[in-house]
Amino acid sequence: DQQVKQNSPSLSVQEGRISILNCDYTNSMFDYFLWYKKYPAEGPTFLISISSIKDKNEDGRFTVFLNKSAKHLSLHIVPSQPGDSAVYFCAASAAGGGADGLTFGKGTHLIIQP
Amino acid sequence: DAGITQSPRHKVTETGTPVTLRCHQTENHRYMYWYRQDPGHGLRLIHYSYGVKDTDKGEVSDGYSVSRSKTEDFLLTLESATSSQTSVYFCAISDFQGPYGYTFGSGTRLTVV
């Protein structure tokens, strides 16, 4: 039973435009959400996170929005750059802070077209 | 980059043989994790450790065991490798009880033939 869902396996966006990656979750105990970025042959790298007490967190070109009632979060990248082409994983942790591990989605492959 | 290294980076092994993957950190982080990444599945937790000699199972622990005899090393052992364990394995570390961005290693690509 998949608790974190990324329903778009891939997304193609033109350079300079906005990229919007979506993530849905089913476990109401999740209270902290993260996005990771992964290049081929490398480990995932932490990108941005958001606590359930917030509905928005911004870091430079990256903004994460959380809609708790809909159990939905999204990552906005604006403007999109060629180096943003990667696989993006949504992850979540339940109360306890994630010490017992994060639950990841399947990932979305973002392709930035020149 | 954080001091976390995985070895080997690539390994091919035969079905039925035991295999041990190593994760070594120089950050003195308390928490360490083993994940596997497979197409269509994302990252799935195998085992994790919350201190020396303290480990627990994750979502996909069957066929795997772990050991942590010192803070810096977390070993993952496939007791009798099967083709279904062909995967990319990632180790991650965290310095306190919070999901404030685990740091991942570069991965080990394991092929079981």
Side-chain angles (χ1 to χ4, degrees):
Chain A
D1 183 25
Q2 204 180 350
Q3 298 186 68
V4 177
K5 301 177 183 179
Q6 294 179 256
N7 292 321
S8 298
S10 66
L11 175 68
S12 183
V13 175
Q14 200 166 9
E15 181 179 356
R17 307 294 287 268
I18 183 171
S19 296
I20 300 175
L21 294 88
N22 293 304
C23 178
D24 297 294
Y25 62 96
T26 58
N27 188 341
S28 58
M29 295 299 291
F30 287 149
D31 63 357
Y32 203 90
F33 305 89
L34 308 90
W35 286 94
Y36 280 82
K37 176 180 180 179
K38 185 184 180 305
Y39 293 120
E42 295 183 10
T45 56
F46 171 71
L47 192 58
I48 193 169
S49 63
I50 188 166
S51 164
S52 61
I53 62 173
K54 295 185 175 181
D55 55 16
K56 176 183 174 181
N57 188 28
E58 191 171 356
D59 184 2
R61 296 186 298 114
F62 303 91
T63 302
V64 55
F65 295 92
L66 175 62
N67 182 335
K68 284 193 298 180
S69 61
K71 293 190 175 67
H72 176 82
L73 63 154
S74 60
L75 174 68
H76 293 211
I77 305 173
V78 55
S80 299
Q81 299 175 352
D84 296 330
S85 293
V87 176
Y88 289 79
F89 291 100
C90 174
S93 73
D100 54 353
L102 298 175
T103 301
F104 285 84
K106 294 182 179 181
T108 295
H109 186 194
L110 177 64
I111 302 162
I112 305 301
Q113 303 280 6
Chain B
D1 283 351
I4 175 172
T5 55
Q6 293 184 232
S7 59
R9 289 298 310 274
H10 302 272
K11 185 171 182 66
V12 179
T13 192
E14 292 187 350
T15 298
T17 60
V19 177
T20 296
L21 309 183
R22 182 186 186 224
C23 178
H24 178 78
Q25 58 141 335
T26 57
E27 303 297 315
N28 201 36
H29 287 184
R30 178 180 174 188
Y31 295 88
M32 300 186 75
Y33 306 85
W34 278 107
Y35 282 86
R36 60 179 288 175
Q37 185 195 7
D38 304 289
H41 288 279
L43 291 151
R44 293 180 293 173
L45 181 65
I46 306 170
H47 280 278
Y48 65 98
S49 170
Y50 44 96
V52 173
K53 291 185 169 43
D54 291 324
T55 65
D56 207 345
K57 297 179 179 179
E59 176 189 359
V60 290
S61 60
D62 286 349
Y64 302 94
S65 62
V66 290
S67 66
R68 191 162 178 208
S69 58
K70 45 187 179 177
T71 299
E72 56 266 35
D73 288 326
F74 192 32
L75 304 180
L76 176 71
T77 297
L78 288 64
E79 294 140 8
S80 177
T82 68
S83 59
S84 65
Q85 293 176 312
T86 292
S87 186
V88 181
Y89 292 86
F90 289 101
C91 176
I93 60 175
S94 179
D95 59 352
F96 50 85
Q97 192 164 356
Y100 304 105
Y102 292 4
T103 301
F104 282 84
S106 298
T108 294
R109 181 173 293 277
L110 177 68
T111 303
V112 183
V113 298

